[in-house]
């Protein structure tokens, strides 16, 4: 699916860091995370156009960027709301002005339920769950006048969370529907394997027999997102995160061209011990140890300026690159741009990201939801 | 080598968080990083006693904990100073009152050299390097009255940074020794493979021929640290980090018993989709994707209360555990303690750690050097 890009650039005029606005990426010390706003807009529009074309609601998963200003841009360009993978992310998004939030992680325990109830007073909140513990616990902390959405998580193949059968889904859905404080919204799965369609068809029958509606069928995941309409036609909502930046996993799947990989880690060559070995100041504490989803090459990033430079090994602060043949370039002191294996993990490591257009810094953005570990 | 523990407990009376001091670990919401001060003291003393016995100087690597209060404890119990893997860590340690700092990462670029020169005015600073770029760059930012220590990094087998031969080491050492602002201190390698001894013996001959002293021969790494005196008798200094906490890699090597694995990630069971599947609220953004150094089992942590529960897969926020046989325990809501694969990576993910003795919280410690990415 190729859809032309037609929307206008967002205006990022936060003015939070006037000094940074005057600068350019190549003036930054390394390692540093940079985000290309033009590429982000292209990525956001491509996915939004796909969803619009196939009448899917797009819910932007903020786990990838953890930045309210990017979430706001996604909403302005058509997303219905955001998904958050933890309550702390949801709180940070609420603080940043986001009003429709789905927490796609089961909330367990008094502390979480208390915070969720507090959050439900200021945003339109939905949650997921696959057990009565989650449903009853949250409901018991909500006033009966609440209307917190609840999606029953279904295990359609990933073997992570989720009820195991449509009958189990119905049982939990009934419990939710009977709770004054909760609103049963439908079913959710992650990702959206082909068998999800059969699962949801079976569920539709079971729920129809019980005269219970499932207005939302929510599926997730950037890989394969652009053919969800074919694989899971019953889906009504698509939750995607990584698409906003792209990363080496997207690149290897052919989903995003290099120019649209918006996240780069700028790194500097700090040592050239041999004519084919290049040591960069970006290791696992900068790039994560995450492998590219689906790749088996064992590499830790794509070096844009030197595609032949293979990052074969990471220490905590060192990246060890190998050149296929002896070369004096890149030399000690030269900076390169790395497309990381997994964008979401990188965001989670850094306190700041530099938003830019064509290398000109627009904002030094604090990654406000980063430290939200709970 | 077994050495009796004989020192007194440190006094941790920071009073920074009176509320936390009243609490216990089992009152904390999860996921959360906990550090057992009694275990830390045992680990610190064991390594210090080893170094004392073999007349090795111990330099504590702070990359593992990133906490000045732990560094101070290491110094109080015999360490000569700290090693830092980046300048930001060194600055955080200086802010925390640490006075002897070795930065074991090559500093490259105007920004780093300017900051290093500033740091050299307030602490006793040493650096490493394997190129004239590093030596000349730093020297050019120092007043000639400076006396910044410089160790030439030698590649004795890891194939990361380091000069490739004793002759190259001598060439760089001469450059350093001739610089008014730098003080040539000796040679450094990481880790300390058996062949490091032959390398340093050859270097000793080469340097003797040039009438240049190498007072320091510094080796690094917790794995195998306790027999460095046999493998690399020429070593004068041992740099170790992970030993302070222990982690699953240490556990698997048999270096540290479970009770002395001081770092635990407390996590909660959030889903029990099947009788053998246990989903925890600790994924790669909490535990890292780091595998246990040297292990090939592909697991992501050791669950202390349920050793049979194997954490086989991490998503960003989910840990997927498998039980060998159906069981209702642990149930949704139950908390467990995970010994992570790699302690240093976990520290790098979290803003706070809870220091405790026997489960009673002593301090909620901000991991002050965590955000120091440069």
């Amino acid at each position: 699916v190729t859809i032309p890009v037609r929307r206008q650039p967002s205006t990022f005029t936060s003015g939070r860091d006037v000094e940074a606005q005057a600068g350019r990426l190549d003036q930054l010390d390394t390692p540093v995370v940079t985000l290309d706003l033009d590429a982000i807009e292209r990525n956001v529009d491509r996915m939004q156009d796909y969803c619009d074309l196939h009448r899917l609601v797009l819910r932007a998963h903020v786990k990838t960027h953890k930045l309210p200003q990017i979430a706001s841009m996604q909403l302005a360009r058509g997303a219905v709301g955001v998904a958050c993978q933890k309550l702390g992310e949801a709180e940070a998004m609420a603080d940043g002005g986001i009003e429709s939030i789905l927490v796609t992680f089961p909330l367990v325990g008094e502390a979480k339920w208390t915070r969720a109830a507090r959050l439900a007073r200021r945003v339109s909140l939905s949650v997921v769950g696959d057990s009565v513990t989650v449903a009853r616990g949250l409901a018991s902390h909500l006033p009966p006048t609440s209307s917190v959405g609840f999606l029953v998580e279904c295990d359609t193949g990933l073997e992570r969370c989720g009820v195991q059968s449509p009958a189990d889904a119905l049982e939990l859905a009934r419990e939710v529907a009977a709770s004054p404080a909760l609103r049963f919204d439908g079913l959710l799965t992650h990702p959206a394997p082909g068998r999800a369609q059969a699962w949801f068809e079976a569920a539709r029958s079971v729920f129809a027999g019980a005269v219970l509606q499932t207005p939302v069928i929510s599926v997730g995941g950037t890989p394969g997102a652009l053919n969800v309409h074919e694989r899971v036609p019953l889906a009504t909502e698509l939750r995607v995160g990584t698409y906003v930046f792209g990363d080496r996993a997207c690149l290897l799947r052919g989903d995003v061209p290099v120019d649209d990989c918006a996240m780069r880690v700028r790194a500097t060559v700090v040592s050239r011990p041999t004519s084919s070995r290049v040591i960069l100041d970006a290791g696992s504490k900068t790039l994560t140890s995450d492998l590219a989803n689906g790749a088996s090459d064992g590499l830790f990033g794509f070096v844009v300026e030197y595609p032949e430079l293979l990052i074969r090994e990471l220490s905590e602060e060192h990246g060890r690159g190998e050149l296929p043949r002896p070369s004096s370039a890149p030399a000690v002191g030269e900076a390169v741009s790395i497309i990381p294996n997994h964008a979401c993990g990188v965001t989670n490591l850094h306190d700041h990201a530099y938003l830019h257009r064509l290398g000109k810094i627009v904002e030094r953005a604090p990654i406000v939801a980063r430290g939200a570990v709970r």
Side-chain angles (χ1 to χ4, degrees), chain A:
Chain A
V1 178
T2 308
I3 295 162
V5 171
R6 50 179 163 69
R7 293 190 186 79
Q8 294 303 305
S10 318
T11 48
F12 268 78
T13 52
S14 73
R16 282 181 206 168
D17 193 330
V18 175
E19 193 181 339
Q21 288 188 21
R24 294 190 56 82
L25 295 187
D26 53 18
Q27 297 166 335
L28 297 175
D29 193 20
T30 63
V32 65
V33 176
T34 71
L35 301 174
D36 178 340
L37 285 168
D38 297 323
I40 290 171
E41 286 165 1
R42 290 193 296 272
N43 295 335
V44 167
D45 289 348
R46 191 185 304 119
M47 192 64 78
Q48 188 63 54
D49 286 341
Y50 167 78
C51 287
D52 292 349
L53 185 65
H54 296 288
R55 298 175 190 280
L56 282 160
V57 163
L58 190 155
R59 189 173 280 279
H61 208 312
V62 306
K63 72 187 176 109
T64 306
H65 53 68
K66 293 180 180 263
L67 290 167
Q69 53 271 62
I70 301 285
S72 297
M73 179 220 274
Q74 290 169 304
L75 266 67
R77 297 168 101 87
V80 71
V82 302
C84 296
Q85 205 65 353
K86 40 191 19 175
L87 200 50
E89 283 178 2
E91 290 164 338
M93 290 300 136
D95 292 345
I98 307 298
E99 287 169 4
S100 171
I101 299 177
L102 167 64
V103 179
T104 49
F105 190 89
L107 300 178
V108 172
E110 294 292 326
K112 298 276 189 338
W113 295 325
T114 303
R115 285 165 58 198
R118 209 178 299 143
L119 186 61
R121 290 202 293 269
R122 55 183 184 129
V123 300
S124 167
L125 181 68
S126 304
V127 301
V128 303
D130 62 2
S131 69
V132 291
T133 307
V134 171
R136 288 179 193 164
L138 180 56
S140 72
H141 287 71
L142 294 169
T145 52
S146 297
S147 180
V148 170
F150 193 104
L151 292 155
V152 172
E153 185 165 2
C154 306
D155 181 359
T156 63
L158 182 64
E159 301 190 351
R160 201 174 63 182
C161 290
V163 296
Q164 297 295 298
S165 71
D168 289 345
L170 177 62
E171 191 183 328
L172 180 54
R174 279 179 156 150
E175 169 99 20
V176 169
S179 167
L182 299 177
R183 180 188 72 238
F184 174 67
D185 276 350
L187 308 177
L188 173 144
T189 196
H190 173 83
R195 56 204 258 208
Q197 175 67 11
W199 210 105
F200 289 133
E201 278 172 1
R204 188 168 58 170
S205 301
V206 168
F207 276 72
V211 200
L212 198 59
Q213 302 286 317
T214 58
V216 177
I217 303 283
S218 179
V219 300
T222 292
L226 294 179
N227 60 22
V228 155
H229 68 290
E230 291 167 348
R231 286 182 295 113
V232 192
L234 276 177
T236 67
E237 175 179 281
L238 178 62
R239 308 182 318 279
V240 275
T242 310
Y243 82 105
V244 70
F245 291 159
D247 54 21
R248 200 171 75 94
C250 296
L251 196 64
L252 292 175
R253 281 195 308 271
D255 288 354
V256 178
V258 168
D259 285 352
D260 290 355
C261 287
M263 173 186 274
R264 311 279 170 94
V265 173
R266 270 179 69 82
T268 298
V269 177
V270 295
S271 173
R272 285 299 313 271
T274 74
S275 57
S276 62
R277 195 191 310 161
V278 178
I279 307 296
L280 299 165
D281 62 354
S284 61
K285 286 180 171 173
T286 300
L287 294 168
T288 78
S289 298
D290 294 1
L291 294 171
N293 192 8
S296 57
D297 56 16
L299 301 179
F300 290 100
F302 177 84
V303 183
V304 179
E305 298 85 352
Y306 295 90
E308 73 279 17
L309 176 60
L310 304 184
I311 306 180
R312 290 205 182 277
E313 203 171 297
L314 300 182
S315 312
E316 289 165 44
E317 304 293 358
H318 302 74
R320 185 165 68 80
E322 280 178 24
L323 292 165
R325 64 194 68 83
S327 169
S328 59
V332 170
E334 186 170 342
V336 298
S337 314
I338 303 169
I339 297 174
N341 278 348
H342 183 202
C344 313
V346 172
T347 302
N348 191 51
L349 293 174
H350 295 264
D351 287 348
H352 295 91
Y354 285 81
L355 310 182
H356 71 97
R357 292 191 193 276
L358 298 172
K360 186 172 187 313
I361 298 166
V362 174
E363 183 185 343
R364 177 173 178 264
I367 303 178
V368 293
R370 192 215 56 81
V373 294
R374 283 182 279 278

